[in-house]
Amino acid sequence: MEAKTERSELTLQAIVDTALQMAIDEGLESLSIGELAKRLALSKSGVFSRVGSREALQLAVIQEYDRRFLQAVFTPAMREPRGLPRLNAIMQLWIKRAGDLAQGNGCLYCAGAFEYDDREGPVRDQLLDGVQRWRAALRRTVQQAIEAGHLAPEVDPVQMVFEMDALFTGLLRDARFLRDPHAPARAWTAWQRLLRASQPQPAKP
């Protein structure tokens, strides 16, 4: 029984892994039980018994993407000291992940935002929840940098996070659609410019 359970869990993980890559490559709406069964050489009933409905599969994919994204970007950055070192680490990891075309690390949140901007339902709600939690984490990190004196006290965390996110969205378009190999370097330059504008200015003599 234990071996059967382990095989079932491995099969479920293989289903979610394959579905996640499909969603990144082709969009969440591309997901179907039949196509997954074909790609994994499983029966449709075998896939359905593990993931349930198509919508349940989409939700599982978003949850898995969220877990991997945080593991790749947020968790390592938390090892850095509060303030600017942590904020810089987040941006460095975020930019590196987006610019690494070989790894197929597209952003499900960015793609999903356009795919579901005018739709309602659980899939949109799940995407929205992930984006809002990520932005809240960024705002906390910016606020900590202000409290540490690394950023000017007049910096608006909401505005800064908006600009960080806009920078990242521009990077994704240039790196993936325009296939510009210099896009990550340009994004890092833009981030450094934003930082300089947000840091305390020396008092004039």
Side-chain angles (χ1 to χ4, degrees), residues 66-199:
D66 184 67
R67 185 190 69 78
R68 294 188 189 186
F69 178 80
L70 293 178
Q71 188 177 53
V73 176
F74 192 68
T75 302
M78 290 302 99
R79 303 187 191 113
E80 300 295 327
R82 283 190 175 199
L84 195 52
R86 186 174 295 179
L87 192 60
N88 248 331
I90 287 174
M91 286 304 288
Q92 188 173 36
L93 291 163
W94 201 7
I95 288 171
K96 180 181 178 183
R97 189 174 192 276
D100 191 355
L101 301 182
Q103 295 300 315
N105 290 326
C107 181
L108 206 58
Y109 290 145
C110 286
F114 289 105
E115 197 174 0
Y116 286 87
D117 58 352
D118 56 356
R119 300 178 186 220
E120 300 297 332
V123 177
R124 185 186 192 280
D125 293 343
Q126 186 80 22
L127 283 166
L128 182 61
D129 178 67
V131 171
Q132 289 179 329
R133 283 188 290 106
W134 176 235
R135 284 199 167 192
L138 290 175
R139 287 195 300 272
R140 286 195 303 271
T141 309
V142 171
Q143 185 60 49
Q144 289 167 0
I146 294 171
E147 293 166 359
H150 299 156
L151 297 179
E154 62 270 18
V155 166
D156 179 358
V158 175
Q159 177 65 30
M160 189 161 190
V161 168
F162 174 85
E163 293 181 38
M164 292 165 69
D165 199 35
L167 186 160
F168 178 74
T169 302
L171 163 61
L172 278 175
R173 185 196 61 190
D174 281 25
R176 297 181 179 279
F177 183 67
L178 300 183
R179 296 175 183 170
D180 179 2
H182 304 294
R186 296 187 194 283
W188 185 253
T189 297
W191 166 241
Q192 293 301 305
R193 184 178 293 119
L194 175 59
L195 267 187
R196 287 194 296 272
S198 304
Q199 289 175 317

Side-chain angles (χ1 to χ4, degrees), residues 29-41:
E29 283 297 299
S30 74
L31 297 180
S32 74
I33 302 295
E35 181 59 26
L36 270 175
K38 186 191 304 182
R39 294 192 185 195
L40 290 164

